[in-house]
Amino acid sequence: QVQLVESGGGLVQAGGSLRLSCAASGRTFSTDAMGWFRQAPGKEREFVAAINWSGGTTDYADSLEGRFTISRDNAKNTVYLQINNLKPEDTAVYYCTFTRGFIATIASGVHYWGKGTLVTVSS
């Protein structure tokens, strides 16, 4: 079992930046991957980014325009999502994900979900 706790969300003005954090606890291994999905009001949950726990290989959604950066701190079992130049359309609940053995870019492939942290971008 794995538990994921997100933090760092909040209200920010357009053009600002946020750094989201997700701490994983439980049975974790070097073959695992963690990432982020988001769900905006009235929209389906979509993939944002993910990273392998070992090696640091990353994957990003093509629609993010380079404004998102995922990173990890192995010692803390924590993954981060840096969001720069926030736009109103980035407003969403951001969910941390954990998947054993591979990077999941489809929601149905994710093994564990955090409860989400809300990011609200004002215009």
Side-chain angles (χ1 to χ4, degrees):
Q1 61 180 20
V2 174
Q3 285 74 46
L4 306 172
V5 180
E6 304 100 328
S7 62
L11 176 65
V12 63
Q13 295 183 11
S17 299
L18 281 177
R19 186 174 179 85
L20 308 182
S21 299
C22 177
S25 62
R27 301 177 68 87
T28 62
F29 304 94
S30 62
T31 53
D32 299 330
M34 294 179 65
W36 297 88
F37 281 67
R38 69 181 183 182
Q39 188 164 22
K43 296 184 178 180
E44 296 184 351
R45 193 168 299 185
E46 64 176 346
F47 172 72
V48 176
I51 186 169
N52 288 328
W53 207 245
S54 63
T57 302
T58 59
D59 198 3
Y60 294 91
D62 292 337
S63 61
L64 300 180
E65 302 176 359
R67 298 181 296 108
F68 290 66
T69 302
I70 190 169
S71 61
R72 73 197 195 284
D73 186 334
N74 291 35
K76 297 181 179 180
N77 286 333
T78 299
V79 66
Y80 305 94
L81 184 68
Q82 177 72 33
I83 314 174
N84 297 324
N85 191 24
L86 281 157
K87 301 178 180 180
E89 53 264 40
D90 294 321
T91 295
V93 176
Y94 285 73
Y95 296 93
C96 180
T97 66
F98 183 100
T99 305
R100 297 203 183 279
F102 64 96
I103 288 178
T105 59
I106 301 174
S108 60
V110 173
H111 293 158
Y112 298 92
W113 294 89
K115 294 183 178 180
T117 185
L118 177 63
V119 173
T120 302
V121 183
S122 61
S123 60

